[in-house]
C-alpha cells in the first residue's frame, strides 16, 4: 500500500494575507498561527520575509514560538530573500525555505524577460543555497499549469537534482481544469527522475471556482501535499479552501483512500477566527463553514432529516466543530466555563486577557437576554484590537432624527487621565461621531467602507463593524463590536486612529503605517 497521508500546507498567512483587505498585524498573525497549530496542519507558510520588515518580524515571531508544525517562509530566487527566510524561520525546530520562480512562456517573456535556461540556472542556484542553510527546501515553478509540459519536467528534474525536498505545482491564475491537471501530474510522475523520492505538492487558485476540484485531482494523480488557506482567502478569487478540501477527503474517504492529520472539529472555530480578524464575513452559503451549510429549510428536507439525518446530511455539524445550538453561557456562568468555551472557540488567551474578556462578558450579559458564541468572539476581537491607546473612548452621546442634523459628543481619555471632549454635527450619526473623533485626536481619515454585521441572532445582538479608511494613501482597517452600532463604528474608527498615533510616537509615521505598506509585490 502506498503513502496515503496528505500533508496540509497552510498559506493563510502568506498567500491569504497578500489579498487586498486581508492584511494582518503581527499579533493577529501569531493568534492565527496558534489556531493553525491546534488544527494540526503540517506546515504553516508564515509569510514572505523579504517583502517588508513587518512580514519578517511576523514570520520570526511565529517560528520562535516553535509549536509543532514546520514553519516556512517564501523567497524569490535570490540570495537576499533566501537568507532573510532562513533568519526568520530558523528559530523553529522544523523549518522550511520555499523558493519560487515563474516558468510559463508568458511570465518568461513579459515578466522576467529571461530565457528557459536562465530560469533553470537561477532555480538551481537558489535551491543549492537554500539547501546549504536548511534541509527542508520547497521549490515552486510559478504558473506551472501554463508551462509547456516538457519544459516543466526539465525544471522539476533540475530542482530535484539541486536538492528540493518538495516540489509544488501552482495553478497560479486558476486556469486549469481537473482532467488537465490530472494529466499534468501523471506526466511529471512519469517523466521526472527521482520524483517519487520527494513530496509532490499542489497549489491552486480559484479564479474559475475549481481550486478545490483541481487540488483533489492532483492528489488522486499522486500529489501528497495540498497548499490551501482558511476560508479560501487569497489573491483575486482566493486559494483552495482548507476546510472544503479537508472535508472532501474525509467525507469521501472510501473514494480517495487518503487521510490528513487535521482535527476537523477545529475547522469552524478557525474559520470564524480568520473571518473576524480580517473583517471579511463568511458567505452564508459557503460550504462547510457558512451559516447555512447545515441548515435545512425546505419542508421535505426537514421531514427527511427527522426520519434520519443521513437523508440530507453528508457530514455532521459536530464534525466541523459547529455546536448544535450556539446558545452558550449566561450571566451566571462562571470563569471556568467561560475559559473552556473560549478555548473551544479556538482562542488561546493568557490569564490577563481571559480575566478582561470575562469581565466584559459579564457586563454584556447584564445587557443582553441571550449570549452566543458570536458574542464571545466579538468580545475577544474587541479586546485584541482596542487594547492599546493612546486614547480610550470614555463616553459618547449621539442624537439624530428625520428633521435635524445629527450631533455626536465624545469624550476620550488617555493613560495619564487627560480628557478631551469634542462635539460635531453632520448629516448622519456615524459621520458626526467620526468627525468628533477626528477633531479630538487631530487625525483625519477618509472613510472608504463601513461594513456592519450582526454578531449573533436576536434583536439585542451586537453589531460588528469593520471600517476601511485611507490615511497617507494607504488603506487601514479597524474592527469593533457593540450592541450600539454607532459606538461600534466609533470604536473601530478610534482603533485605526490609535494605531496611527502609536506609529507616530515611534517616529514611524512616514515609513509605514500598516504591516504591508512597504511590501514588495510578488
Ligand atoms: O500562486 C502561486 O504561484 C504562488 C507561488 C509563490 C507558490 O503563490
Ligand atoms: Zn498562490
Amino acid at each position: 500500500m502506498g503513502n496515503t497521508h496528505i500533508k496540509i500546507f497552510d498559506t493563510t498567512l502568506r498567500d491569504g494575507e497578500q489579498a487586498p483587505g486581508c492584511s494582518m498585524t503581527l499579533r493577529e498573525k501569531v493568534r492565527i498561527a496558534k489556531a493553525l497549530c491546534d488544527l494540526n496542519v503540517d506546515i504553516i507558510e508564515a509569510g514572505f520575509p523579504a517583502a517588508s520588515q513587518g512580514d519578517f518580524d511576523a514570520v520570526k515571531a511565529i517560528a520562535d514560538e516553535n509549536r509543532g508544525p514546520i514553519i516556512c517562509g517564501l523567497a524569490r530566487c535570490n540570495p537576499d530573500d533566501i537568507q532573510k527566510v532562513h533568519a526568520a524561520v530558523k528559530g523553529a525546530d522544523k523549518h522550511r525555505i520555499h523558493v519560487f520562480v515563474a516558468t510559463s512562456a508568458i511570465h518568461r517573456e513579459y515578466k522576467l524577460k529571461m530565457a528557459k535556461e536562465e530560469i533553470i540556472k537561477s532555480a538551481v542556484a537558489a535551491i543549492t543555497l537554500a539547501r546549504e542553510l536548511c534541509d527542508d527546501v520547497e521549490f515552486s515553478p510559478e504558473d506551472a499549469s501554463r508551462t509547456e509540459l516538457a519544459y516543466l519536467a526539465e525544471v522539476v528534474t533540475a530542482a530535484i537534482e539541486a536538492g528540493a525536498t518538495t516540489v509544488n505545482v501552482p495553478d497560479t491564475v486558476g486556469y486549469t481544469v481537473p482532467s488537465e491537471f490530472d494529466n499534468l501530474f501523471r506526466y511529471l510522475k512519469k517523466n521526472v527522475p527521482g520524483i517519487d523520492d520527494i513530496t509532490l505538492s499542489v497549489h491552486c487558485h480559484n479564479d474559475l471556482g475549481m481550486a478545490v476540484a483541481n487540488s483533489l485531482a492532483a492528489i488522486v494523480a499522486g500529489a501528497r501535499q495540498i497548499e490551501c488557506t482558511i476560508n479560501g482567502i487569497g489573491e483575486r478569487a482566493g486559494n483552495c479552501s482548507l476546510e472544503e478540501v479537508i472535508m472532501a477527503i474525509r467525507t469521501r474517504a472510501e473514494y480517495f483512500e487518503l487521510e490528513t492529520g487535521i482535527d476537523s472539529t477545529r475547522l469552524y472555530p478557525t474559520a470564524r477566527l480568520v473571518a473576524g480578524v480580517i473583517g471579511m464575513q463568511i458567505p452564508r452559503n459557503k460550504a462547510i463553514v457558512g451559516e447555512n451549510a447545515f441548515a435545512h429549510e425546505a419542508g421535505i428536507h426537514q421531514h427527511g432529516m427527522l426520519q434520519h439525518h443521513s437523508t440530507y446530511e453528508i457530514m455532521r455539524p459536530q464534525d466541523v466543530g459547529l455546536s448544535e445550538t450556539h446558545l452558550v453561557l449566561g450571566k451566571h456562568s462562571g470563569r471556568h466555563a467561560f475559559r473552556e468555551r473560549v478555548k473551544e472557540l479556538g482562542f488561546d488567551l493568557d490569564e490577563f486577557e481571559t480575566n478582561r474578556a470575562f469581565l466584559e462578558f459579564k457586563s454584556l450579559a447584564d445587557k443582553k437576554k441571550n449570549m452566543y458564541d458570536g458574542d464571545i468572539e466579538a468580545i475577544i476581537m474587541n479586546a485584541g484590537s482596542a487594547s492599546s491607546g493612546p486614547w480610550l473612548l470614555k463616553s459618547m452621546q449621539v442624537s439624530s432624527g428625520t428633521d435635524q442634523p445629527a450631533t455626536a459628543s465624545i469624550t476620550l481619555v488617555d493613560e495619564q487621565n487627560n480628557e478631551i471632549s469634542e462635539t460635531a454635527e453632520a448629516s448622519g450619526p456615524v459621520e458626526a461621531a467620526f468627525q468628533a473623533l477626528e477633531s479630538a485626536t487631530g487625525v483625519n481619515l477618509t472613510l472608504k467602507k463601513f461594513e456592519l454585521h450582526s454578531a449573533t441572532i436576536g434583536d439585542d445582538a451586537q453589531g460588528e463593524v469593520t471600517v476601511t479608511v485611507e490615511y497617507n494613501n494607504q488603506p487601514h482597517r479597524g474592527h469593533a463590536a457593540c450592541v450600539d452600532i454607532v459606538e461600534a463604528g466609533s470604536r473601530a474608527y478610534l482603533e485605526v486612529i490609535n494605531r496611527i498615533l502609536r506609529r507616530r510616537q515611534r517616529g514611524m509615521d512616514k515609513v509605514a503605517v500598516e504591516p504591508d505598506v512597504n511590501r514588495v509585490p510578488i
Side-chain angles (χ1 to χ4, degrees), residues 11 14-15 18 170-172 203-205 227 235 239:
T11 184
R14 200 279 296 170
D15 220 345
Q18 228 167 276
D171 180 26
T172 304
H203 177 114
C204 293
H205 282 265
E227 303 202 350
E235 289 278 14
N239 286 59

Side-chain angles (χ1 to χ4, degrees), residues 197-441:
D197 303 327
I198 55 110
T199 301
L200 191 54
S201 167
V202 59
H203 177 114
C204 293
H205 282 265
N206 204 32
D207 299 65
L208 294 173
M210 284 185 281
V212 171
N214 289 332
S215 303
L216 293 171
I219 58 171
V220 170
R224 285 295 173 266
Q225 173 178 289
I226 299 178
E227 303 202 350
C228 45
T229 61
I230 302 293
N231 299 335
I233 63 168
E235 289 278 14
R236 308 178 308 277
N239 286 59
C240 171
S241 141
L242 183 146
E243 56 283 358
E244 292 177 20
V245 86
I246 291 300
M247 289 314 284
I249 295 170
R250 191 175 187 276
T251 308
R252 299 304 311 276
E254 89 302 341
Y255 178 80
F256 290 109
E257 298 184 328
L258 296 166
E259 29 68 38
T260 71
I262 295 294
D263 174 358
S264 68
T265 64
R266 307 299 315 158
L267 289 173
Y268 184 75
T270 313
R272 297 273 303 172
L273 173 69
V274 170
V277 163
I278 60 176
M280 188 186 273
Q281 293 312 319
I282 301 173
R284 292 177 81 90
N285 66 338
K286 164 97 169 62
I288 316 297
V289 292
E291 238 168 88
N292 288 358
F294 293 92
H296 300 273
E297 189 72 31
I300 197 164
H301 288 206
Q302 288 178 351
H303 176 72
M305 285 288 290
L306 289 173
Q307 306 306 311
H308 198 277
H309 71 86
S310 63
T311 49
Y312 285 101
E313 201 168 65
I314 58 166
M315 301 164 271
R316 307 295 332 252
Q318 308 85 283
D319 296 343
V320 303
L322 195 70
S323 64
E324 209 95 347
T325 64
H326 294 297
L327 183 59
V328 281
L329 310 164
K331 66 175 172 185
H332 302 297
S333 305
R335 194 180 303 263
H336 181 71
F338 178 77
R339 186 185 288 123
E340 284 309 299
R341 193 67 201 141
V342 164
K343 261 199 217 142
E344 280 164 23
L345 289 171
F347 296 100
D348 182 11
L349 304 187
D350 61 26
E351 204 50 34
F352 177 77
E353 290 166 331
T354 307
N355 287 342
R356 185 165 54 188
F358 183 64
L359 288 178
E360 267 189 54
F361 172 80
K362 283 290 197 188
S363 121
L364 184 63
D366 279 336
K367 294 186 209 145
K368 273 183 102 241
K369 280 195 297 286
N370 297 315
M371 296 290 282
Y372 299 88
D373 285 345
D375 288 311
I376 298 184
E377 288 166 347
I379 285 170
I380 295 170
M381 293 299 173
N382 261 356
S385 50
S387 51
S388 0
W391 292 109
L392 295 178
L393 183 65
K394 184 175 180 203
S395 64
M396 69 183 292
Q397 289 78 39
V398 179
S399 81
S400 64
T402 46
D403 309 320
Q404 64 189 56
T407 323
S409 301
I410 54 123
T411 301
L412 303 181
V413 59
D414 71 5
E415 266 184 3
Q416 288 77 42
N417 263 333
N418 299 313
E419 280 191 14
I420 180 162
S421 298
E422 283 292 340
T423 297
E425 206 179 85
S427 44
V430 171
E431 192 190 359
F434 288 4
Q435 280 182 12
L437 285 170
E438 290 187 355
S439 327
T441 59

Side-chain angles (χ1 to χ4, degrees), residues 2 41 67 72 96 109 159 168 206 215 259 365 375 402 418 446:
V41 304
R67 283 175 178 259
C72 174
R96 175 177 294 184
E109 193 177 332
N168 177 45
N206 204 32
S215 303
E259 29 68 38
D375 288 311
T402 46
N418 299 313
T446 309

Side-chain angles (χ1 to χ4, degrees), residues 122 181 253 502:
S122 96
F181 220 30
R502 288 198 299 274

